[in-house]
Amino acid sequence: MKKLHIETYGCQMNIADSEVVASILADLYEITDQQKEADLILINTCSVRDNAEQRIRKRLRELGSLKKKNNKLLIGLLGCMAERIKEQLLTEEKALDFIAGPDAYRTLPKLIEEASRGELSFNVILSEEETYDNIAPIRYDGNGISAYIPIMRGCNNFCTYCIVPYTRGRERSRDPKTILEEATHLFENGYREVTLLGQNVNSYLWKEESEPLDFAGLMEQVALISPLLRVRFATSHPKDISDKLIQTIAKYPNICKYIHLPVQSGSSAVLKKMNRVYNREYYLERISTIKKWIPEIALSTDILSGFCGETNQDHQDTLSIMKEVEYASAFMFRYSVRNGTKAAENLIDDVPDDVKAKRLEEIIALQQHLSLENNQKDIGKVFEVLVEGVSKRSDKKMFGRTSQNKVCVFPRQEAKVGDYVHVKVVSCTAGTLITELVDPC
Ligand code: 5AD
Ligand code: SF4
């Protein structure tokens, strides 16, 4: 059988999509992690920032030289970059034989066939319905205990800086029956953690049955599969983090006590320009409700620094909201103009690069400090940890995660991957809890 190598860049959704692609092509190709032995290399791409695209272009040039050594090798590009740049990419990047946008993966066998006949082929048509719901992903790069389950695709929010609504199209939810079947099947096959995925999972809504099912309802049903199956989700929009959802997270011990809630900025004026449809006060109110009902919660966020018109005071507001929320971790970025977005069309990218860089540095330094403080508060506490594997630093240690999504390392002893163990935190860094095994109390 021919061999397929997939390289995935960008978000968790892309990882899940690559697993769907592996399944669509399973009759034609078997997966290899060795690019050298591949007959087909697929690059699943991200367009959210310019530097992500530049990295992929560099990679394509490297692959071009690989092709010179093996003239049978086919190279295809998938994902957001295919959708954003479309067939023009095929003329710009000589290494490419075909491209497919995020809703076109079912047509990959046809695209590959055309490409193997020497035609430059592409499909970047977006769909209002495609959820790949009847395709069982092949989890070729997983750890055997944690899996992603896409529950919705697309985004209707049109934050002014973001290319995603253009590259991934409109929001659509997946049939809950297939989601529950997939989660149950995973559990029966030894998986102990599922992450329900979507650009904005809180907008999940299935209206086909007499009783509509929202995200809180769906998550409850997944949690009820087994108390031994941990449930996580990503990503949420603050506008949709309802009381019902917070109560559902609080109610089920196996729904993880971790919420990723992208704030983007601490300034209401900047949030307005971003079309985030909430302000600082609303966001902080949601955070205090979450903390009131789920005291053990860990929060993380995305922060976008140097957006159009951001003043030093706006930047200070971002630093102060970070301190107020006490995020356990954060993904922090400097604003990168994306052609085609509302910000690119209507706003001026007026924060100089060196100011953007300096502000981002301050944000990263503050988060480093907050993460350390947050972890220090865990010293002496006992946590239940799902064992994920042997530590990369020492084969005498294993690692896993707490419900709060914090990485713990602990002595190896008899623990196996997929077991739940109890650990006590003895010390920490900003990124890891150093723990010892204890008996459950
Ligand atoms: N520039 C920089 N970061 C961006 N993000 C989205 N669009 C841009 C952009 N144009 C960030 C946001 C989002 C995360 C996935 O990527 O913080 O939450
Ligand atoms: Fe982009 Fe906003 Fe949608 Fe997130 S919610 S994908 S930032 S448009």
Side-chain angles (χ1 to χ4, degrees):
M1 203 178 209
K2 287 188 172 172
K3 294 212 158 63
L4 163 64
H5 179 73
I6 310 183
E7 285 178 24
T8 305
Y9 295 84
C11 59
Q12 294 160 317
M13 200 67 188
N14 269 10
I15 298 175
D17 279 359
S18 292
E19 295 177 344
V20 164
V21 165
S23 174
I24 290 171
L25 295 176
D27 290 342
L28 302 171
Y29 291 92
E30 69 187 359
I31 291 278
T32 172
D33 58 3
Q34 301 295 314
Q35 101 179 11
K36 277 197 224 102
E37 60 178 37
D39 302 285
L40 169 64
I41 298 180
L42 293 174
I43 312 287
N44 197 355
T45 61
C46 170
S47 280
V48 98
R49 282 169 290 279
D50 185 56
N51 60 6
E53 288 198 356
Q54 293 315 323
R55 214 174 126 209
I56 288 158
R57 287 193 184 262
K58 184 163 167 263
R59 183 73 189 121
L60 288 174
R61 286 195 291 277
E62 284 166 18
L63 290 175
S65 44
L66 199 69
K67 245 180 138 174
K68 285 194 191 115
K69 289 184 210 138
N70 171 4
N71 59 7
K72 290 223 176 68
L73 174 66
L74 289 178
I75 298 179
L77 183 139
L78 315 176
C80 287
M81 235 174 125
E83 199 60 54
R84 194 181 82 76
I85 308 176
K86 303 198 166 45
E87 54 271 32
Q88 194 190 326
L89 252 185
L90 289 169
T91 30
E92 288 173 7
E93 298 295 342
K94 300 291 173 224
L96 287 178
D97 297 292
F98 63 93
I99 65 170
D103 288 342
Y105 299 149
R106 285 182 204 264
T107 64
L108 277 170
K110 180 168 165 280
L111 294 172
I112 294 167
E113 197 209 304
E114 286 167 2
S116 56
R117 277 192 265 121
E119 294 169 29
L120 284 179
S121 58
F122 60 90
N123 183 350
V124 290
I125 298 170
L126 284 176
S127 150
E128 295 199 347
E129 283 108 40
E130 181 62 273
T131 59
Y132 300 110
D133 62 355
N134 60 344
I135 293 173
I138 296 183
R139 301 179 195 276
Y140 60 88
D141 197 22
N143 60 2
I145 57 153
S146 313
Y148 293 128
I149 304 184
I151 62 159
M152 54 90 63
R153 297 176 76 82
C155 181
N156 289 353
N157 291 324
F158 290 95
C159 300
T160 54
Y161 51 81
C162 187
I163 196 70
V164 166
Y166 307 91
T167 57
R168 287 195 168 259
R170 296 292 62 74
E171 278 176 4
R172 64 220 100 120
S173 296
R174 177 176 168 189
D175 186 339
K177 272 201 250 44
T178 67
I179 298 170
L180 289 164
E181 274 163 21
E182 193 171 319
T184 307
H185 181 76
L186 285 165
F187 181 70
E188 285 167 353
N189 284 281
Y191 281 76
R192 290 294 172 262
E193 181 174 81
V194 292
T195 302
L196 307 181
L197 273 193
Q199 258 72 42
N200 181 17
V201 287
N202 308 142
S203 303
Y204 179 88
L205 191 61
W206 185 255
K207 292 183 281 202
E208 313 285 298
E209 317 296 324
S210 50
E211 276 284 291
L213 184 67
D214 63 7
F215 179 58
L218 175 74
M219 197 155 62
E220 181 160 46
Q221 292 195 18
V222 178
L224 286 169
I225 291 173
S226 166
L228 289 178
L229 182 67
R230 278 184 170 182
V231 186
R232 300 186 182 277
F233 59 95
T235 274
S236 321
H237 194 297
K239 76 176 166 55
D240 300 317
I241 191 106
S242 64
D243 287 359
K244 182 179 169 198
L245 180 62
I246 301 170
Q247 281 158 357
T248 308
I249 300 169
K251 183 171 164 193
Y252 291 93
N254 59 329
I255 299 184
C256 289
K257 303 301 177 253
Y258 167 73
I259 303 180
H260 181 67
L261 201 61
V263 65
Q264 311 297 358
S265 167
S267 151
S268 294
V270 173
L271 289 169
K272 191 149 198 256
K273 285 190 202 133
M274 291 176 166
N275 189 33
R276 289 292 286 177
V277 304
Y278 56 85
N279 58 18
R280 179 184 173 99
E281 289 66 39
Y282 167 89
Y283 185 93
L284 286 173
E285 184 284 319
R286 288 289 78 193
I287 294 291
S288 71
T289 303
I290 293 170
K291 286 185 177 173
K292 189 169 77 198
W293 289 341
I294 319 174
E296 71 274 39
I297 200 78
L299 295 154
S300 69
T301 199
D302 290 350
I303 295 176
L304 192 48
S305 154
F307 188 59
C308 309
E310 185 188 78
T311 63
N312 186 42
Q313 184 54 51
D314 294 324
H315 169 61
Q316 297 304 323
D317 289 348
T318 296
L319 297 174
S320 76
I321 207 168
M322 290 170 68
K323 288 186 207 150
E324 205 163 329
V325 178
E326 300 179 307
Y327 293 112
S329 59
F331 299 94
M332 299 154 285
F333 314 102
R334 74 163 91 166
Y335 171 56
S336 154
V337 184
R338 309 314 289 136
N339 285 339
T341 60
K342 287 275 175 293
E345 278 165 20
N346 304 330
L347 300 171
I348 303 164
D349 178 26
D350 54 359
V351 179
D353 274 350
D354 58 333
V355 177
K356 278 186 192 167
K358 185 165 169 292
R359 288 183 186 166
L360 183 61
E361 255 172 50
E362 286 176 18
I363 288 169
I364 292 171
L366 173 59
Q367 185 53 49
Q368 182 75 6
H369 172 75
L370 291 175
S371 298
L372 182 62
E373 259 186 6
N374 201 292
N375 283 353
Q376 280 167 342
K377 287 191 191 144
D378 288 338
I379 293 177
K381 291 189 194 159
V382 172
F383 291 96
E384 187 182 63
V385 167
L386 175 60
V387 182
E388 286 182 39
V390 176
S391 160
K392 285 183 195 86
R393 296 230 176 122
S394 154
D395 62 4
K396 293 191 182 60
K397 293 201 163 177
M398 299 198 86
F399 77 99
R401 257 165 242 267
T402 65
S403 172
Q404 288 74 5
N405 207 29
K406 292 190 182 177
V407 174
C408 295
V409 292
F410 47 89
R412 192 156 176 175
Q413 299 183 7
E414 294 101 82
K416 291 194 304 303
V417 173
D419 282 353
Y420 286 101
V421 295
H422 284 80
V423 300
K424 186 171 180 177
V425 183
V426 289
S427 66
C428 68
T429 65
T432 312
L433 300 177
I434 321 291
T435 69
E436 58 192 26
L437 288 160
V438 291
D439 288 332
C441 24

